[in-house]
Amino acid sequence: MPKRFRLTRRFNAAMTEDGYRALKRFSAEAGLEEGEALSFLFENFDSVTDKDTLGHRLRLFNAELQERKR
């Protein structure tokens, strides 16, 4: 029997414009609402990320973060 899908947690999240556009594009392509798309991504995080490039991309993001906040 499939697990019932309930959105039980809500939180405020700040996103970059690029991140928000990517989320909207992904959710539209997948036929999901934005909250459902985020739930899918986080529930399946290990299978939707490339472990070989994740660390490198995270280091790049962190290196640019302070400059992007200005």
Side-chain angles (χ1 to χ4, degrees), residues 5-6 14 17 24 28 31 36 41 44-45 47 55 63-64 68:
F5 190 78
R6 291 181 23 213
E17 284 296 320
K24 288 187 67 78
E36 294 168 339
L41 290 171
N44 299 285
F45 187 78
S47 62
E64 298 171 352
R68 292 174 75 178

Side-chain angles (χ1 to χ4, degrees), residues 6-25:
R6 291 181 23 213
L7 297 176
T8 59
R9 302 282 188 253
R10 299 201 182 274
F11 64 98
N12 290 328
M15 299 181 75
T16 62
E17 284 296 320
D18 291 342
Y20 186 65
R21 281 193 295 270
L23 173 63
K24 288 187 67 78
R25 184 176 54 249

